[in-house]
Amino acid sequence: MQFHIVFPVFSIVTSQVGHIAKESDMDQDNNVGQPSNPLHARWFYVSFVGTGLSLISAACFATEDLIIYAVSKRYTPTFILVWNAIVAFSLCSISLLFIRPRWGPEDGRQALLTLAYGTCNCITQLTLTLAIIIIGPGNGSALFFTAPVFSVLLSAVILGHRPSVSVIVFAVCSCGGVALISLSLEEDLGDDIQSDLQRWLPPSFGVVFGITSAVSFASGIIVTKILTNQYETAHPLINLMSYYVQLLVTTLCLCTVFDDWTLPDTVGSGVMLSGIGLMTFGGMMVLFIALTWLNPTTVSIILALEVPLIFLGQFFLFGFRFNWQTISGFILITASAVGILLSEELTEDDGDQENHHQEEINHLEKDAAGEKQPMLGQSD
């Protein structure tokens, strides 16, 4: 019953937010040359709302990681994943029923790219969950935030984008942060919650899973860039459905292979397990709405606050102890991610300015040629 109440309202809010954002852009275009106070007020309002939505999204993702670690003592990773997939898939299906986006693959390539997007994010969820359980939510999420480094590398290889010197420096700093976190894992995690997976696998496996999640997520970013740049019919909900369907099928198969079929033994456990899927889907949807208010670079930088939120949560909830290696590694990775995002934004702005200047030069040359032709006609 609650689903039928919540999601119609949610779909209306989503459409209204997009409508308000578009009206804001149109108003700004129409008010060029008028007094700037209304524009500044509107800019502040848009920035305030966009920042708030981005913070909510970061809080959702941080809560998801903390819940995964909390329930890992009582439930296996496959069961946690399948429960997450069922809840998120159900929420996404209901959203599709109410929002009903117009989508149809323009060609087979778009369908394959949509499938590839889901596969990349499915691998990300599987490996990140394992990393969180093995080395803790803070360390796993910090390693995940090396994704901008791999995104730049994959852009250079696949899309032909040459990284700048500053991006290369930030990438090296990020690798240093990974090394520091890896060294810190040789010491005791300082937590009284120990899952079977932590006892079976050494921390080095958690590092590998964390970096793998970053690589697969970066691959998903490249696929998203290709989809959004080349296909107008690409829709976030369809991409999410591709992801959740693959995650659900994969986790169901894993549960069947490892015979992990069970049910939550308490109401509290059921709420926590359901909360993982709710935070996953809710964080993604709020993130999509935030992107209608702010540019992707600003939103990505705000999302980096997820890592300190997780560190604070695991300190107060699980009693984690921190050493200088963990803190230094976290700072290096987060600062590098922000630096790479800002460098890429500046590079894109410089490219836009160069294109604008080139267009002006071409326009002036055409005007000069047009004036020269009548003069030649008069001389004849």
Side-chain angles (χ1 to χ4, degrees), residues 59-317:
C60 287
F61 295 140
T63 304
E64 171 198 357
D65 294 344
L66 292 170
I67 295 176
I68 288 174
Y69 189 78
V71 299
S72 64
K73 182 181 179 181
R74 306 182 66 176
Y75 302 102
T76 62
T78 51
F79 180 74
I80 295 173
L81 286 166
V82 75
W83 196 274
N84 178 16
I86 291 173
V87 174
F89 173 79
S90 301
L91 295 176
C92 189
S93 300
I94 297 173
S95 296
L96 284 172
L97 290 176
F98 285 104
I99 298 177
R100 295 182 180 179
R102 295 180 180 178
W103 183 83
E106 299 176 15
D107 52 30
R109 184 169 178 268
Q110 182 182 1
L112 289 176
L113 287 171
T114 304
L115 182 66
Y117 172 87
T119 302
C120 292
N121 283 274
C122 181
I123 296 173
T124 299
Q125 185 65 47
L126 292 171
T127 52
L128 182 58
T129 299
L130 294 174
I132 289 171
I133 295 174
I134 296 173
I135 60 177
N139 294 324
S141 299
L143 294 176
F144 172 74
F145 268 88
T146 59
V149 176
F150 296 106
S151 177
V152 169
L153 294 176
L154 291 173
S155 294
V157 174
I158 299 175
L159 303 179
H161 297 168
R162 296 180 60 183
S164 62
V165 176
S166 60
V167 168
I168 295 175
V169 172
F170 285 127
V172 173
C173 292
S174 183
C175 294
V178 173
L180 286 173
I181 289 179
S182 301
L183 291 174
S184 71
L185 296 176
E186 297 297 329
E187 303 178 10
D188 182 20
L189 288 174
D191 181 27
D192 59 347
I193 298 180
Q194 294 289 324
S195 67
D196 292 335
L197 198 61
Q198 285 176 309
R199 288 188 286 267
W200 293 340
L201 297 177
S204 58
F205 278 79
V207 175
V208 172
F209 286 135
I211 295 177
T212 303
S213 69
V215 174
S216 59
F217 184 77
S219 303
I221 292 176
I222 302 301
V223 173
T224 303
K225 287 182 179 179
I226 297 174
L227 275 172
T228 55
N229 290 338
Q230 299 183 8
Y231 298 98
E232 296 181 356
T233 57
H235 194 278
L237 272 180
I238 301 299
N239 294 338
L240 279 180
M241 178 55 73
S242 171
Y243 158 47
Y244 290 135
V245 167
Q246 294 185 58
L247 182 63
L248 181 61
V249 172
T250 303
T251 53
L252 287 175
C253 292
L254 289 174
C255 276
T256 302
V257 171
F258 294 103
D259 195 19
D260 263 344
W261 298 110
T262 183
L263 290 173
D265 50 3
T266 64
V267 176
S269 297
V271 171
M272 293 181 69
L273 288 168
S274 301
I276 298 173
L278 181 61
M279 292 296 105
T280 301
F281 180 76
M284 292 296 290
M285 291 304 296
V286 174
L287 174 60
F288 289 142
I289 299 174
L291 289 171
T292 65
W293 293 82
L294 297 177
N295 64 70
T297 301
T298 304
V299 173
S300 300
I301 292 172
I302 296 173
L303 285 178
L305 295 174
E306 174 191 349
V307 182
L309 289 175
I310 292 174
F311 271 93
L312 290 174
Q314 68 183 17
F315 175 77
F316 289 106
L317 297 176

